[in-house]
Amino acid sequence: MKHDNSKCMHCEGCAAVCPTGAITVYETFVKIDEILCTKCGNCVKICPVGAIT
Ligand code: SF4
Ligand code: SF4
């Protein structure tokens, strides 16, 4: 998954819907663990600004 930090509002919505805990939202960036990620697409759907693709 790709995360665009210039669009992100750091709302933590993506981390809340990730079933594997692959997303950690920090104050200035978001980390997606590609090993934990199952490519379920939840984070892409929930993100209000389309920051994850
Ligand atoms: S849901 Fe989108 S805007 Fe919110 S923290 Fe995740 S990537 Fe950023
Ligand atoms: S695609 Fe699914 S498993 Fe991967 S980071 Fe997004 S919500 Fe988590």
Side-chain angles (χ1 to χ4, degrees):
M1 311 307 294
K2 282 205 179 120
H3 174 259
D4 184 343
N5 210 42
S6 66
K7 289 183 183 171
C8 182
M9 310 181 299
H10 305 278
C11 70
E12 301 191 21
C14 54
V17 298
C18 179
T20 62
I23 305 180
T24 311
V25 179
Y26 296 95
E27 259 180 59
T28 53
F29 69 103
V30 171
K31 181 172 169 279
I32 302 177
D33 186 322
E34 296 293 342
I35 295 168
L36 289 177
C37 176
T38 59
K39 309 263 189 290
C40 71
N42 284 1
C43 55
V44 177
K45 280 182 240 160
I46 199 86
C47 181
V49 294
I52 305 178
T53 49

